[in-house]
């Protein structure tokens, strides 16, 4: 399998020059007949969509949603209203598609975008469904998004422990999706931009096969997004690959610090 390419982009936040790096990958997995996942990793928007509903329905839903969001990036203003307008159009596209089924055709949607309209650029996470965004900050991994699922509601109500949720018969039942019913806007959360941060955006095909500890392990083992996504995908497939697997890693580094290090008298220099 060819190595996944890492893409970079320079940005300025609070007069600091930062470097964004990202890579994404999707795979059918070991047990599915087709891949109903889709993703978009194009500055400043990074999202994963996990489709559902019949043989072709999930693929229609996820691809329609990603295509509409690609249009938002192309138009150049990635904002909450623009995203929600795109999702409304995606819902209409899904409903009008000749291969849409009556089996609850829809898709999850989760990810982050860099909000350049704010006074200071900031990350905004968005979420519909049970795909997830994780953030590794100061070597601590946290789940940024909250699943929209029956199991998560049972956990929140104190009727189920996180341990009992593993393998629960309703673990795949989600309570919100794009296209399955009237659209509810995504949940949003703002996050300050901080050098050293690493986001993992993924479908549940990854989290079914890798624990949070496993995700953190591969981030520690691989400093660049491309090798990290390849390693996580390989591990998910080795652990069973029971579902389509899709993930994006986005990370922030301090370009000024790198420049300071390279200009230090003690720094290594190429001849």
């Amino acid at each position: 399998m060819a190595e996944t390419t890492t893409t970079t982009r320079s940005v300025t936040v609070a007069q600091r020059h930062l470097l964004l790096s990202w890579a994404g990958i999707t795979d059918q997995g070991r047990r599915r007949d087709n891949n109903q996942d889709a993703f978009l990793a194009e500055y400043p928007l990074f999202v994963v969509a996990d489709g559902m509903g019949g043989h072709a329905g999930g693929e229609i839903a996820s691809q329609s949603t990603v295509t509409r969001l690609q249009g938002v990036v192309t138009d150049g203003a990635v904002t909450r209203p623009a995203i929600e307008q795109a999702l409304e159009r995606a819902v209409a596209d899904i409903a009008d598609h000749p291969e849409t089924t009556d089996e609850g055709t829809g898709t999850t949607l989760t990810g982050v975008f860099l909000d350049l309209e704010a006074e200071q650029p900031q990350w905004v996470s968005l979420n519909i469904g049970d795909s997830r965004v994780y953030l590794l900050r100061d070597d601590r991994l946290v789940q940024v998004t909250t699943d929209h699922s029956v199991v998560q509601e049972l956990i929140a109500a104190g009727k189920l422990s996180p341990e009992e949720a593993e393998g629960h018969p309703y673990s795949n039942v989600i309570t919100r999706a794009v296209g399955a019913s009237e659209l509810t806007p995504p949940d949003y959360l703002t996050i300050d931009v901080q050098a050293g941060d690493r986001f993992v955006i993924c479908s549940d095909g990854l989290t079914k096969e890798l624990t949070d500890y496993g995700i953190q392990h591969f981030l520690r083992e691989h400093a660049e997004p491309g090798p990290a996504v390849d390693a996580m995908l390989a591990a998910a497939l080795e652990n069973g690959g029971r579902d389509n697997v899709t993930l994006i890693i986005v990370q922030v580094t301090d370009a000024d610090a790198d420049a300071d290090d390279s200009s230090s008298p003690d720094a290594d220099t190429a001849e």
Side-chain angles (χ1 to χ4, degrees), residues 88 91 176-185:
E88 293 283 2
V91 169
R176 287 170 60 182
V178 179
S181 58
E182 184 177 348
L183 180 68
T184 302

Side-chain angles (χ1 to χ4, degrees), residues 30-184:
R30 294 273 172 86
R31 301 189 187 180
R32 298 292 187 178
D33 294 332
N34 63 340
N35 191 349
Q36 298 193 5
D37 286 2
F39 74 93
L40 174 65
E42 189 170 332
Y43 177 84
L45 179 61
F46 308 91
V47 293
V48 165
D50 179 358
M52 60 185 183
H55 182 72
E59 186 175 353
I60 292 165
S62 61
Q63 290 290 346
S64 297
T65 300
V66 164
T67 297
R68 284 297 186 180
L69 290 171
Q70 173 69 66
V72 174
V73 174
T74 301
D75 290 343
V78 180
T79 62
R80 299 185 197 192
I83 287 171
E84 290 174 23
Q85 186 176 54
L87 295 182
E88 293 283 2
R89 291 171 177 166
V91 169
D93 294 342
I94 295 164
D96 292 343
H97 198 285
E99 295 184 64
T100 293
T101 70
D102 294 328
E103 300 176 44
T105 297
T107 183
T108 70
L109 177 71
T110 200
V112 297
F113 67 94
L114 189 61
D115 184 1
L116 303 170
E117 303 295 317
E119 185 174 342
Q120 284 292 343
Q122 59 187 3
W123 292 108
V124 179
S125 71
L126 61 147
N127 186 58
I128 297 175
D130 65 350
S131 296
R132 293 177 178 175
V133 175
Y134 290 91
L135 171 62
L136 183 72
R137 174 175 287 185
D138 298 329
D139 204 37
R140 178 171 176 262
L141 187 75
V142 296
Q143 183 179 329
V144 173
T145 54
T146 299
D147 296 351
H148 298 136
S149 67
V150 170
V151 164
Q152 181 59 43
E153 289 184 354
L154 292 172
I155 292 172
K159 298 179 179 179
L160 200 66
S161 71
E163 293 73 25
E164 292 170 331
E166 297 293 332
H168 192 278
Y170 291 161
S171 61
N172 290 331
V173 180
I174 63 174
T175 55
R176 287 170 60 182
V178 179
S181 58
E182 184 177 348
L183 180 68
T184 302

